Amino acid sequence: MISRRGLALLVAIMGGASVMPVFSYAKDTSVAPVSHKQVTLPRVLVLATGGTISGKADTRSAIGYDAGAVTGAQLIAGVPGVEKLAVLQVEQISNIASQNMNNQVWFKLAERIRRAFANNEADAVVITHGTDTMEETAFFLDAVIGDARPVILTGAMRPSTAISADGPANMYEAVKVAADPQARGRGVLVVLNDEVHSARGVSKMHTTALQTFHSPNLGPVGYVDPASVRFVAPARSQQHLDLPADHKLPRVQIVYAHADMDAQQIDDAVKDGARGIVIAGMGDGNVSTDALAGVERATKAGVVVVRSTRVGNGFVNRDVEVDDDHYGLVASMDLNPQKARILLQLLLANGKTSAADIQNAFSATL
Ligand code: SIN
C-alpha cells in the first residue's frame, strides 16, 4: 500500500507549460500503484498567490513578517491529512502580499480557472491568498467564472512560522469544502476559521483577529466541523460577466465621505477620467450638500455614480434618503465600496452604461 507520505508526494507544482514535480515517488521505496480509492478522490487545483498564509517571520513570536515567502507546494506539504481529501496539483500564480493584488493577477487566475474547468483538469480549485483583499478577488472571480464547480479562497491571519499558525487548518478546511459535492453551484466561496462565506457577503472586519471574516448582511453560508461541511444557505444562480479581451478594466474611483466634505475629490475623479465613482457614503450612503452637487456634475458628464456606505453593515437602498431617480444614481444594495467598484468596472467593460441597467445588475442576485 502507498504510505501516507507517499500520497503527499502526489502534490506537484507546475510552472508555465512545464511540469516540475517538487516531490516525486523516486525516494519512496514503499510506493505501489495508485489504488481505485485514490484515483476517485476529487482533483483539486491549488493556485497559490501569496499572503500571510505564505508568510515567514524571523522567530515564532515575531509580530512583523514577510507575506508571500513560502510557496504553495511548501504550504501543502505542511498540512497533514489533506492528501486523504483530494488529489492536489499546486501552481504558483504569484507570491505577493495581497495589498499588491492587481488586475493582472486577477485575469491570470480567472483564465487559469476557466482553462482548468474547460479541459476537465480539476473538479475544484482552491486559491491561497492574503486576507487584505481576499474579498475583492473572490468577488471578481465570482462574477467572471460562471461554473458550478467549487472555487474556494483561503488564507491566514498568522504567518506560517507563528505559534498557532492558522494557515494549515484553513488550508485543510478549504480543500475539504472544495472536495464536497454540496459546494457545487454556490459561486466562489471563502473558507477560514471553520466558516464558509459567499464572495458577495464576506468582508474582512478585524485588523488582526483570527475571526476576521464575517458576512454582515448575509451571514455565513456554511460551517466546517471535524465531521462534516454543513451548508445553511441554498445554492444560487451565478452571474457571469465576460472578461474584457484587452485585459483592461475602466477606471472607477472610490470617494470616502466624511464630515466637512466638499466636492473636490469627486470633481478630481471626473477630471482624472474616471468612468465611474463609488461613494463610500456616510450612514445610508449619504454625502454633504456640496458633495451632492459634485455628484450631479459627475452624472451630467456621463460618469456613473454608485452610492455605497462606509458603515460596513446594512443595505443602501434606492431613493430612501437620497433621490436616486432625480440624480441618476445607482444604489449599491449590500455591496461595500470595494466590491461595488469591481462590479461597476466589469459592467462598464461589458458595455453597460445606463444607471438603470447597472442598478439591475447590483440588485440582481439578492
Ligand atoms: C495580505 O493580505 O497579504 C497580508 C495580510 C494577510 O494575509 O493576512
Side-chain angles (χ1 to χ4, degrees), residues 106-140:
W106 280 357
F107 279 87
K108 205 169 162 188
L109 277 171
E111 285 174 350
R112 182 65 190 103
I113 295 166
R114 283 179 167 189
R115 197 168 73 247
F117 287 158
N119 298 342
N120 191 22
E121 291 173 53
D123 301 306
V125 172
V126 168
I127 300 166
T128 58
H129 197 288
T131 58
D132 285 356
T133 57
M134 186 180 292
E135 67 194 81
E136 289 166 70
T137 301
F139 186 78
F140 173 81

PDB file of all heavy atoms in Angstrom, residues 106-140:
ATOM      1  N   TRP A 106      -5.522  38.969 -11.250  1.00  0.00           N
ATOM      2  CA  TRP A 106      -6.929  38.559 -11.337  1.00  0.00           C
ATOM      3  C   TRP A 106      -7.232  37.893 -12.694  1.00  0.00           C
ATOM      4  O   TRP A 106      -7.874  36.851 -12.754  1.00  0.00           O
ATOM      5  CB  TRP A 106      -7.849  39.770 -11.172  1.00  0.00           C
ATOM      6  CG  TRP A 106      -8.041  40.189  -9.743  1.00  0.00           C
ATOM      7  CD1 TRP A 106      -7.539  39.566  -8.628  1.00  0.00           C
ATOM      8  CD2 TRP A 106      -8.785  41.302  -9.276  1.00  0.00           C
ATOM      9  NE1 TRP A 106      -7.935  40.242  -7.495  1.00  0.00           N
ATOM     10  CE2 TRP A 106      -8.696  41.311  -7.861  1.00  0.00           C
ATOM     11  CE3 TRP A 106      -9.515  42.303  -9.905  1.00  0.00           C
ATOM     12  CZ2 TRP A 106      -9.314  42.280  -7.079  1.00  0.00           C
ATOM     13  CZ3 TRP A 106     -10.137  43.276  -9.126  1.00  0.00           C
ATOM     14  CH2 TRP A 106     -10.042  43.262  -7.725  1.00  0.00           C
ATOM     15  N   PHE A 107      -6.742  38.513 -13.752  1.00  0.00           N
ATOM     16  CA  PHE A 107      -7.002  37.933 -15.090  1.00  0.00           C
ATOM     17  C   PHE A 107      -6.291  36.581 -15.222  1.00  0.00           C
ATOM     18  O   PHE A 107      -6.828  35.643 -15.801  1.00  0.00           O
ATOM     19  CB  PHE A 107      -6.565  38.896 -16.193  1.00  0.00           C
ATOM     20  CG  PHE A 107      -7.583  39.972 -16.469  1.00  0.00           C
ATOM     21  CD1 PHE A 107      -7.589  41.151 -15.743  1.00  0.00           C
ATOM     22  CD2 PHE A 107      -8.562  39.790 -17.427  1.00  0.00           C
ATOM     23  CE1 PHE A 107      -8.549  42.133 -15.967  1.00  0.00           C
ATOM     24  CE2 PHE A 107      -9.525  40.767 -17.659  1.00  0.00           C
ATOM     25  CZ  PHE A 107      -9.515  41.950 -16.926  1.00  0.00           C
ATOM     26  N   LYS A 108      -5.085  36.499 -14.684  1.00  0.00           N
ATOM     27  CA  LYS A 108      -4.321  35.244 -14.745  1.00  0.00           C
ATOM     28  C   LYS A 108      -5.087  34.133 -14.005  1.00  0.00           C
ATOM     29  O   LYS A 108      -5.225  33.006 -14.508  1.00  0.00           O
ATOM     30  CB  LYS A 108      -2.958  35.479 -14.082  1.00  0.00           C
ATOM     31  CG  LYS A 108      -1.857  34.575 -14.547  1.00  0.00           C
ATOM     32  CD  LYS A 108      -0.532  35.118 -14.016  1.00  0.00           C
ATOM     33  CE  LYS A 108       0.534  34.046 -14.063  1.00  0.00           C
ATOM     34  NZ  LYS A 108       1.766  34.454 -13.397  1.00  0.00           N
ATOM     35  N   LEU A 109      -5.581  34.476 -12.824  1.00  0.00           N
ATOM     36  CA  LEU A 109      -6.351  33.490 -12.038  1.00  0.00           C
ATOM     37  C   LEU A 109      -7.611  33.066 -12.808  1.00  0.00           C
ATOM     38  O   LEU A 109      -7.901  31.875 -12.947  1.00  0.00           O
ATOM     39  CB  LEU A 109      -6.782  34.105 -10.703  1.00  0.00           C
ATOM     40  CG  LEU A 109      -5.782  34.099  -9.556  1.00  0.00           C
ATOM     41  CD1 LEU A 109      -6.300  34.952  -8.400  1.00  0.00           C
ATOM     42  CD2 LEU A 109      -5.503  32.676  -9.060  1.00  0.00           C
ATOM     43  N   ALA A 110      -8.345  34.065 -13.286  1.00  0.00           N
ATOM     44  CA  ALA A 110      -9.627  33.767 -13.949  1.00  0.00           C
ATOM     45  C   ALA A 110      -9.395  32.875 -15.166  1.00  0.00           C
ATOM     46  O   ALA A 110     -10.119  31.892 -15.387  1.00  0.00           O
ATOM     47  CB  ALA A 110     -10.313  35.058 -14.354  1.00  0.00           C
ATOM     48  N   GLU A 111      -8.372  33.210 -15.942  1.00  0.00           N
ATOM     49  CA  GLU A 111      -8.134  32.433 -17.165  1.00  0.00           C
ATOM     50  C   GLU A 111      -7.632  31.035 -16.836  1.00  0.00           C
ATOM     51  O   GLU A 111      -7.996  30.066 -17.512  1.00  0.00           O
ATOM     52  CB  GLU A 111      -7.175  33.193 -18.088  1.00  0.00           C
ATOM     53  CG  GLU A 111      -7.929  34.340 -18.734  1.00  0.00           C
ATOM     54  CD  GLU A 111      -7.080  35.283 -19.562  1.00  0.00           C
ATOM     55  OE1 GLU A 111      -5.835  35.185 -19.509  1.00  0.00           O
ATOM     56  OE2 GLU A 111      -7.678  36.136 -20.261  1.00  0.00           O
ATOM     57  N   ARG A 112      -6.827  30.912 -15.789  1.00  0.00           N
ATOM     58  CA  ARG A 112      -6.338  29.569 -15.414  1.00  0.00           C
ATOM     59  C   ARG A 112      -7.496  28.696 -14.927  1.00  0.00           C
ATOM     60  O   ARG A 112      -7.571  27.504 -15.246  1.00  0.00           O
ATOM     61  CB  ARG A 112      -5.257  29.683 -14.325  1.00  0.00           C
ATOM     62  CG  ARG A 112      -4.666  28.341 -13.920  1.00  0.00           C
ATOM     63  CD  ARG A 112      -3.913  27.694 -15.080  1.00  0.00           C
ATOM     64  NE  ARG A 112      -3.533  26.317 -14.809  1.00  0.00           N
ATOM     65  CZ  ARG A 112      -4.166  25.250 -15.302  1.00  0.00           C
ATOM     66  NH1 ARG A 112      -5.225  25.383 -16.108  1.00  0.00           N
ATOM     67  NH2 ARG A 112      -3.742  24.028 -15.021  1.00  0.00           N
ATOM     68  N   ILE A 113      -8.389  29.289 -14.154  1.00  0.00           N
ATOM     69  CA  ILE A 113      -9.523  28.510 -13.634  1.00  0.00           C
ATOM     70  C   ILE A 113     -10.438  28.100 -14.788  1.00  0.00           C
ATOM     71  O   ILE A 113     -10.861  26.945 -14.888  1.00  0.00           O
ATOM     72  CB  ILE A 113     -10.306  29.323 -12.575  1.00  0.00           C
ATOM     73  CG1 ILE A 113      -9.417  29.575 -11.350  1.00  0.00           C
ATOM     74  CG2 ILE A 113     -11.581  28.591 -12.159  1.00  0.00           C
ATOM     75  CD1 ILE A 113      -9.951  30.636 -10.400  1.00  0.00           C
ATOM     76  N   ARG A 114     -10.739  29.043 -15.653  1.00  0.00           N
ATOM     77  CA  ARG A 114     -11.602  28.707 -16.803  1.00  0.00           C
ATOM     78  C   ARG A 114     -10.988  27.585 -17.636  1.00  0.00           C
ATOM     79  O   ARG A 114     -11.670  26.676 -18.073  1.00  0.00           O
ATOM     80  CB  ARG A 114     -11.800  29.939 -17.688  1.00  0.00           C
ATOM     81  CG  ARG A 114     -12.792  30.922 -17.120  1.00  0.00           C
ATOM     82  CD  ARG A 114     -12.881  32.086 -18.059  1.00  0.00           C
ATOM     83  NE  ARG A 114     -14.022  32.941 -17.765  1.00  0.00           N
ATOM     84  CZ  ARG A 114     -14.410  33.919 -18.560  1.00  0.00           C
ATOM     85  NH1 ARG A 114     -13.795  34.162 -19.692  1.00  0.00           N
ATOM     86  NH2 ARG A 114     -15.446  34.668 -18.237  1.00  0.00           N
ATOM     87  N   ARG A 115      -9.660  27.660 -17.855  1.00  0.00           N
ATOM     88  CA  ARG A 115      -8.983  26.627 -18.668  1.00  0.00           C
ATOM     89  C   ARG A 115      -9.024  25.277 -17.952  1.00  0.00           C
ATOM     90  O   ARG A 115      -9.312  24.253 -18.561  1.00  0.00           O
ATOM     91  CB  ARG A 115      -7.537  27.056 -18.946  1.00  0.00           C
ATOM     92  CG  ARG A 115      -6.889  26.297 -20.088  1.00  0.00           C
ATOM     93  CD  ARG A 115      -5.585  26.898 -20.563  1.00  0.00           C
ATOM     94  NE  ARG A 115      -4.487  26.687 -19.625  1.00  0.00           N
ATOM     95  CZ  ARG A 115      -3.883  27.641 -18.941  1.00  0.00           C
ATOM     96  NH1 ARG A 115      -4.264  28.903 -19.072  1.00  0.00           N
ATOM     97  NH2 ARG A 115      -2.892  27.366 -18.120  1.00  0.00           N
ATOM     98  N   ALA A 116      -8.771  25.296 -16.653  1.00  0.00           N
ATOM     99  CA  ALA A 116      -8.767  24.037 -15.884  1.00  0.00           C
ATOM    100  C   ALA A 116     -10.136  23.362 -15.960  1.00  0.00           C
ATOM    101  O   ALA A 116     -10.226  22.140 -16.096  1.00  0.00           O
ATOM    102  CB  ALA A 116      -8.387  24.307 -14.433  1.00  0.00           C
ATOM    103  N   PHE A 117     -11.203  24.149 -15.884  1.00  0.00           N
ATOM    104  CA  PHE A 117     -12.543  23.568 -15.952  1.00  0.00           C
ATOM    105  C   PHE A 117     -12.889  23.157 -17.398  1.00  0.00           C
ATOM    106  O   PHE A 117     -13.444  22.086 -17.625  1.00  0.00           O
ATOM    107  CB  PHE A 117     -13.584  24.547 -15.400  1.00  0.00           C
ATOM    108  CG  PHE A 117     -13.550  24.695 -13.892  1.00  0.00           C
ATOM    109  CD1 PHE A 117     -14.076  25.819 -13.270  1.00  0.00           C
ATOM    110  CD2 PHE A 117     -13.011  23.698 -13.081  1.00  0.00           C
ATOM    111  CE1 PHE A 117     -14.060  25.954 -11.872  1.00  0.00           C
ATOM    112  CE2 PHE A 117     -12.985  23.812 -11.691  1.00  0.00           C
ATOM    113  CZ  PHE A 117     -13.508  24.953 -11.094  1.00  0.00           C
ATOM    114  N   ALA A 118     -12.533  24.010 -18.350  1.00  0.00           N
ATOM    115  CA  ALA A 118     -12.863  23.694 -19.755  1.00  0.00           C
ATOM    116  C   ALA A 118     -12.173  22.403 -20.198  1.00  0.00           C
ATOM    117  O   ALA A 118     -12.752  21.593 -20.923  1.00  0.00           O
ATOM    118  CB  ALA A 118     -12.462  24.847 -20.662  1.00  0.00           C
ATOM    119  N   ASN A 119     -10.931  22.185 -19.738  1.00  0.00           N
ATOM    120  CA  ASN A 119     -10.174  20.989 -20.137  1.00  0.00           C
ATOM    121  C   ASN A 119     -10.378  19.828 -19.175  1.00  0.00           C
ATOM    122  O   ASN A 119      -9.670  18.823 -19.253  1.00  0.00           O
ATOM    123  CB  ASN A 119      -8.668  21.303 -20.198  1.00  0.00           C
ATOM    124  CG  ASN A 119      -8.368  22.357 -21.236  1.00  0.00           C
ATOM    125  OD1 ASN A 119      -9.180  22.614 -22.118  1.00  0.00           O
ATOM    126  ND2 ASN A 119      -7.212  22.985 -21.117  1.00  0.00           N
ATOM    127  N   ASN A 120     -11.294  19.992 -18.237  1.00  0.00           N
ATOM    128  CA  ASN A 120     -11.557  18.968 -17.227  1.00  0.00           C
ATOM    129  C   ASN A 120     -10.275  18.522 -16.511  1.00  0.00           C
ATOM    130  O   ASN A 120     -10.050  17.339 -16.281  1.00  0.00           O
ATOM    131  CB  ASN A 120     -12.282  17.771 -17.856  1.00  0.00           C
ATOM    132  CG  ASN A 120     -12.814  16.822 -16.810  1.00  0.00           C
ATOM    133  OD1 ASN A 120     -13.022  17.223 -15.657  1.00  0.00           O
ATOM    134  ND2 ASN A 120     -12.990  15.557 -17.157  1.00  0.00           N
ATOM    135  N   GLU A 121      -9.443  19.498 -16.150  1.00  0.00           N
ATOM    136  CA  GLU A 121      -8.205  19.185 -15.414  1.00  0.00           C
ATOM    137  C   GLU A 121      -8.463  19.090 -13.919  1.00  0.00           C
ATOM    138  O   GLU A 121      -7.623  18.585 -13.185  1.00  0.00           O
ATOM    139  CB  GLU A 121      -7.188  20.320 -15.603  1.00  0.00           C
ATOM    140  CG  GLU A 121      -6.602  20.475 -16.967  1.00  0.00           C
ATOM    141  CD  GLU A 121      -5.761  21.749 -16.998  1.00  0.00           C
ATOM    142  OE1 GLU A 121      -4.873  21.924 -16.148  1.00  0.00           O
ATOM    143  OE2 GLU A 121      -6.008  22.589 -17.880  1.00  0.00           O
ATOM    144  N   ALA A 122      -9.551  19.687 -13.447  1.00  0.00           N
ATOM    145  CA  ALA A 122      -9.792  19.743 -11.997  1.00  0.00           C
ATOM    146  C   ALA A 122     -11.283  19.700 -11.707  1.00  0.00           C
ATOM    147  O   ALA A 122     -12.096  20.147 -12.513  1.00  0.00           O
ATOM    148  CB  ALA A 122      -9.197  21.034 -11.427  1.00  0.00           C
ATOM    149  N   ASP A 123     -11.613  19.154 -10.536  1.00  0.00           N
ATOM    150  CA  ASP A 123     -13.015  19.152 -10.098  1.00  0.00           C
ATOM    151  C   ASP A 123     -13.323  20.376  -9.240  1.00  0.00           C
ATOM    152  O   ASP A 123     -14.495  20.690  -9.011  1.00  0.00           O
ATOM    153  CB  ASP A 123     -13.296  17.887  -9.275  1.00  0.00           C
ATOM    154  CG  ASP A 123     -13.007  16.639 -10.096  1.00  0.00           C
ATOM    155  OD1 ASP A 123     -13.567  16.524 -11.200  1.00  0.00           O
ATOM    156  OD2 ASP A 123     -12.189  15.802  -9.653  1.00  0.00           O
ATOM    157  N   ALA A 124     -12.285  21.006  -8.741  1.00  0.00           N
ATOM    158  CA  ALA A 124     -12.463  22.190  -7.890  1.00  0.00           C
ATOM    159  C   ALA A 124     -11.129  22.924  -7.822  1.00  0.00           C
ATOM    160  O   ALA A 124     -10.082  22.354  -8.158  1.00  0.00           O
ATOM    161  CB  ALA A 124     -12.898  21.776  -6.481  1.00  0.00           C
ATOM    162  N   VAL A 125     -11.201  24.174  -7.390  1.00  0.00           N
ATOM    163  CA  VAL A 125      -9.986  24.996  -7.269  1.00  0.00           C
ATOM    164  C   VAL A 125      -9.932  25.599  -5.867  1.00  0.00           C
ATOM    165  O   VAL A 125     -10.965  26.022  -5.332  1.00  0.00           O
ATOM    166  CB  VAL A 125      -9.994  26.137  -8.326  1.00  0.00           C
ATOM    167  CG1 VAL A 125      -8.849  27.113  -8.105  1.00  0.00           C
ATOM    168  CG2 VAL A 125      -9.940  25.569  -9.745  1.00  0.00           C
ATOM    169  N   VAL A 126      -8.749  25.588  -5.270  1.00  0.00           N
ATOM    170  CA  VAL A 126      -8.511  26.313  -4.009  1.00  0.00           C
ATOM    171  C   VAL A 126      -7.447  27.364  -4.283  1.00  0.00           C
ATOM    172  O   VAL A 126      -6.406  27.062  -4.883  1.00  0.00           O
ATOM    173  CB  VAL A 126      -8.048  25.359  -2.885  1.00  0.00           C
ATOM    174  CG1 VAL A 126      -7.520  26.149  -1.676  1.00  0.00           C
ATOM    175  CG2 VAL A 126      -9.194  24.457  -2.439  1.00  0.00           C
ATOM    176  N   ILE A 127      -7.714  28.577  -3.857  1.00  0.00           N
ATOM    177  CA  ILE A 127      -6.750  29.671  -4.048  1.00  0.00           C
ATOM    178  C   ILE A 127      -6.251  30.115  -2.678  1.00  0.00           C
ATOM    179  O   ILE A 127      -7.056  30.435  -1.793  1.00  0.00           O
ATOM    180  CB  ILE A 127      -7.416  30.867  -4.761  1.00  0.00           C
ATOM    181  CG1 ILE A 127      -7.949  30.437  -6.135  1.00  0.00           C
ATOM    182  CG2 ILE A 127      -6.445  32.034  -4.909  1.00  0.00           C
ATOM    183  CD1 ILE A 127      -8.899  31.442  -6.761  1.00  0.00           C
ATOM    184  N   THR A 128      -4.934  30.139  -2.495  1.00  0.00           N
ATOM    185  CA  THR A 128      -4.391  30.699  -1.257  1.00  0.00           C
ATOM    186  C   THR A 128      -4.066  32.168  -1.524  1.00  0.00           C
ATOM    187  O   THR A 128      -3.514  32.513  -2.578  1.00  0.00           O
ATOM    188  CB  THR A 128      -3.155  29.931  -0.766  1.00  0.00           C
ATOM    189  OG1 THR A 128      -2.144  29.951  -1.778  1.00  0.00           O
ATOM    190  CG2 THR A 128      -3.500  28.489  -0.442  1.00  0.00           C
ATOM    191  N   HIS A 129      -4.392  33.028  -0.552  1.00  0.00           N
ATOM    192  CA  HIS A 129      -4.444  34.466  -0.845  1.00  0.00           C
ATOM    193  C   HIS A 129      -4.266  35.241   0.456  1.00  0.00           C
ATOM    194  O   HIS A 129      -4.699  34.795   1.521  1.00  0.00           O
ATOM    195  CB  HIS A 129      -5.838  34.756  -1.427  1.00  0.00           C
ATOM    196  CG  HIS A 129      -5.987  36.054  -2.151  1.00  0.00           C
ATOM    197  ND1 HIS A 129      -6.017  37.274  -1.515  1.00  0.00           N
ATOM    198  CD2 HIS A 129      -6.146  36.322  -3.470  1.00  0.00           C
ATOM    199  CE1 HIS A 129      -6.176  38.235  -2.404  1.00  0.00           C
ATOM    200  NE2 HIS A 129      -6.258  37.690  -3.612  1.00  0.00           N
ATOM    201  N   GLY A 130      -3.701  36.416   0.384  1.00  0.00           N
ATOM    202  CA  GLY A 130      -3.668  37.303   1.546  1.00  0.00           C
ATOM    203  C   GLY A 130      -5.082  37.704   1.935  1.00  0.00           C
ATOM    204  O   GLY A 130      -5.983  37.744   1.093  1.00  0.00           O
ATOM    205  N   THR A 131      -5.264  38.018   3.216  1.00  0.00           N
ATOM    206  CA  THR A 131      -6.622  38.310   3.673  1.00  0.00           C
ATOM    207  C   THR A 131      -7.059  39.747   3.361  1.00  0.00           C
ATOM    208  O   THR A 131      -8.253  40.024   3.319  1.00  0.00           O
ATOM    209  CB  THR A 131      -6.743  38.071   5.193  1.00  0.00           C
ATOM    210  OG1 THR A 131      -5.788  38.884   5.864  1.00  0.00           O
ATOM    211  CG2 THR A 131      -6.544  36.610   5.540  1.00  0.00           C
ATOM    212  N   ASP A 132      -6.090  40.646   3.137  1.00  0.00           N
ATOM    213  CA  ASP A 132      -6.457  42.062   2.991  1.00  0.00           C
ATOM    214  C   ASP A 132      -7.417  42.309   1.827  1.00  0.00           C
ATOM    215  O   ASP A 132      -8.349  43.105   1.943  1.00  0.00           O
ATOM    216  CB  ASP A 132      -5.194  42.927   2.794  1.00  0.00           C
ATOM    217  CG  ASP A 132      -4.421  43.115   4.090  1.00  0.00           C
ATOM    218  OD1 ASP A 132      -4.895  42.658   5.143  1.00  0.00           O
ATOM    219  OD2 ASP A 132      -3.339  43.730   4.046  1.00  0.00           O
ATOM    220  N   THR A 133      -7.166  41.686   0.701  1.00  0.00           N
ATOM    221  CA  THR A 133      -8.035  41.911  -0.475  1.00  0.00           C
ATOM    222  C   THR A 133      -8.727  40.624  -0.914  1.00  0.00           C
ATOM    223  O   THR A 133      -9.227  40.554  -2.045  1.00  0.00           O
ATOM    224  CB  THR A 133      -7.232  42.494  -1.667  1.00  0.00           C
ATOM    225  OG1 THR A 133      -6.153  41.595  -1.965  1.00  0.00           O
ATOM    226  CG2 THR A 133      -6.695  43.877  -1.363  1.00  0.00           C
ATOM    227  N   MET A 134      -8.759  39.624  -0.025  1.00  0.00           N
ATOM    228  CA  MET A 134      -9.376  38.348  -0.414  1.00  0.00           C
ATOM    229  C   MET A 134     -10.821  38.525  -0.880  1.00  0.00           C
ATOM    230  O   MET A 134     -11.261  37.928  -1.851  1.00  0.00           O
ATOM    231  CB  MET A 134      -9.328  37.377   0.766  1.00  0.00           C
ATOM    232  CG  MET A 134      -9.819  35.992   0.412  1.00  0.00           C
ATOM    233  SD  MET A 134      -9.752  34.869   1.797  1.00  0.00           S
ATOM    234  CE  MET A 134      -8.017  34.691   2.057  1.00  0.00           C
ATOM    235  N   GLU A 135     -11.553  39.382  -0.187  1.00  0.00           N
ATOM    236  CA  GLU A 135     -12.971  39.542  -0.554  1.00  0.00           C
ATOM    237  C   GLU A 135     -13.104  40.119  -1.962  1.00  0.00           C
ATOM    238  O   GLU A 135     -14.057  39.809  -2.679  1.00  0.00           O
ATOM    239  CB  GLU A 135     -13.690  40.435   0.459  1.00  0.00           C
ATOM    240  CG  GLU A 135     -13.238  41.867   0.449  1.00  0.00           C
ATOM    241  CD  GLU A 135     -13.700  42.654   1.678  1.00  0.00           C
ATOM    242  OE1 GLU A 135     -13.067  42.552   2.750  1.00  0.00           O
ATOM    243  OE2 GLU A 135     -14.677  43.373   1.558  1.00  0.00           O
ATOM    244  N   GLU A 136     -12.137  40.957  -2.370  1.00  0.00           N
ATOM    245  CA  GLU A 136     -12.214  41.559  -3.711  1.00  0.00           C
ATOM    246  C   GLU A 136     -11.891  40.529  -4.788  1.00  0.00           C
ATOM    247  O   GLU A 136     -12.588  40.437  -5.813  1.00  0.00           O
ATOM    248  CB  GLU A 136     -11.277  42.768  -3.790  1.00  0.00           C
ATOM    249  CG  GLU A 136     -11.787  43.932  -2.970  1.00  0.00           C
ATOM    250  CD  GLU A 136     -10.746  45.007  -2.746  1.00  0.00           C
ATOM    251  OE1 GLU A 136     -10.387  45.709  -3.703  1.00  0.00           O
ATOM    252  OE2 GLU A 136     -10.270  45.156  -1.598  1.00  0.00           O
ATOM    253  N   THR A 137     -10.846  39.742  -4.568  1.00  0.00           N
ATOM    254  CA  THR A 137     -10.517  38.695  -5.544  1.00  0.00           C
ATOM    255  C   THR A 137     -11.662  37.690  -5.650  1.00  0.00           C
ATOM    256  O   THR A 137     -12.046  37.274  -6.748  1.00  0.00           O
ATOM    257  CB  THR A 137      -9.207  37.986  -5.143  1.00  0.00           C
ATOM    258  OG1 THR A 137      -8.171  38.962  -5.099  1.00  0.00           O
ATOM    259  CG2 THR A 137      -8.829  36.887  -6.118  1.00  0.00           C
ATOM    260  N   ALA A 138     -12.222  37.310  -4.495  1.00  0.00           N
ATOM    261  CA  ALA A 138     -13.335  36.349  -4.502  1.00  0.00           C
ATOM    262  C   ALA A 138     -14.507  36.914  -5.293  1.00  0.00           C
ATOM    263  O   ALA A 138     -15.119  36.227  -6.118  1.00  0.00           O
ATOM    264  CB  ALA A 138     -13.762  36.035  -3.071  1.00  0.00           C
ATOM    265  N   PHE A 139     -14.801  38.191  -5.069  1.00  0.00           N
ATOM    266  CA  PHE A 139     -15.945  38.806  -5.743  1.00  0.00           C
ATOM    267  C   PHE A 139     -15.703  38.914  -7.250  1.00  0.00           C
ATOM    268  O   PHE A 139     -16.589  38.625  -8.063  1.00  0.00           O
ATOM    269  CB  PHE A 139     -16.204  40.193  -5.135  1.00  0.00           C
ATOM    270  CG  PHE A 139     -17.440  40.838  -5.675  1.00  0.00           C
ATOM    271  CD1 PHE A 139     -18.697  40.451  -5.214  1.00  0.00           C
ATOM    272  CD2 PHE A 139     -17.374  41.814  -6.657  1.00  0.00           C
ATOM    273  CE1 PHE A 139     -19.856  41.034  -5.728  1.00  0.00           C
ATOM    274  CE2 PHE A 139     -18.516  42.393  -7.179  1.00  0.00           C
ATOM    275  CZ  PHE A 139     -19.764  42.006  -6.706  1.00  0.00           C
ATOM    276  N   PHE A 140     -14.487  39.311  -7.630  1.00  0.00           N
ATOM    277  CA  PHE A 140     -14.149  39.409  -9.059  1.00  0.00           C
ATOM    278  C   PHE A 140     -14.313  38.048  -9.734  1.00  0.00           C
ATOM    279  O   PHE A 140     -14.973  37.926 -10.774  1.00  0.00           O
ATOM    280  CB  PHE A 140     -12.703  39.912  -9.215  1.00  0.00           C
ATOM    281  CG  PHE A 140     -12.200  39.901 -10.632  1.00  0.00           C
ATOM    282  CD1 PHE A 140     -12.517  40.925 -11.502  1.00  0.00           C
ATOM    283  CD2 PHE A 140     -11.407  38.849 -11.105  1.00  0.00           C
ATOM    284  CE1 PHE A 140     -12.077  40.912 -12.823  1.00  0.00           C
ATOM    285  CE2 PHE A 140     -10.960  38.826 -12.412  1.00  0.00           C
ATOM    286  CZ  PHE A 140     -11.292  39.869 -13.280  1.00  0.00           C
TER     287      PHE A 140
END
